[in-house]
Amino acid sequence: RAFALAGNDVICLDAEGIIGSGTSSRNSEVVHAGIYYPESTPNKAAMCVQGKHLLYNFCEEAGVNHKRITKLIVATTPAQEEQLVKLKEQGAKNGVVDLEMLTAAQAQALEP
C-alpha cells in the first residue's frame, strides 16, 4: 500500500487464467483475529492482530463500505466448553482483546 501511495504503479498478478478462480474464490469474508495460532507461531498471530486493525483503518480512511460483525464459536458439549476457555486464553496470549464468553441466551439474543 505504501508503495502505491508513494506514486508507484502496482500490478496484481493471478496465477490462474481467470481472476479469483483460485483460493481467493473461497473467501469466507472473515477478518482473521489470530485466536487459533499456537505460541510456536507468534508471527502469524501478531500479523492477524495487526492486520485486522490496519484493514479496518484502511476501510474507514478510504471510504470502503464494511461492517464489523460478531463471530460466534459455539460449544454444544462440556468438553467443547473447556476447549472454548482454552481458545479464549490462547487468543489473549496472542493479543486478541475483544473475545468474550457468552451464555446460550446471550448468543441467541444476537440472532436477527
Side-chain angles (χ1 to χ4, degrees):
R1 177 172 180 241
F3 191 73
L5 290 174
N8 297 294
D9 292 330
V10 177
I11 299 172
C12 294
L13 301 176
D14 198 315
E16 301 296 328
I18 299 171
I19 294 173
S21 63
T23 42
S24 61
S25 67
R26 291 159 188 79
N27 182 354
S28 64
E29 300 179 6
V30 172
V31 177
H32 294 276
I35 59 176
Y36 293 103
Y37 292 110
E39 291 172 355
S40 61
T41 59
N43 290 340
K44 289 182 179 180
M47 290 177 81
C48 284
V49 171
Q50 181 183 18
K52 179 178 89 169
H53 296 294
L54 289 172
L55 178 62
Y56 283 129
N57 288 341
F58 171 78
C59 289
E60 290 170 14
E61 291 171 7
V64 175
N65 189 22
H66 66 285
K67 182 177 180 182
R68 294 181 191 225
I69 59 173
T70 301
K71 176 180 179 178
L72 297 178
I73 305 170
V74 179
T76 58
T77 66
Q80 289 177 346
E81 287 181 30
E82 290 177 25
Q83 289 176 313
L84 281 183
V85 170
K86 290 178 183 175
L87 189 59
K88 185 177 186 291
E89 291 169 356
Q90 185 61 51
K93 289 177 186 175
N94 290 347
V96 182
V97 296
D98 55 355
L99 299 174
E100 60 182 292
M101 301 294 281
L102 302 177
T103 64
Q106 289 171 314
Q108 289 169 346
L110 294 173
E111 293 220 10

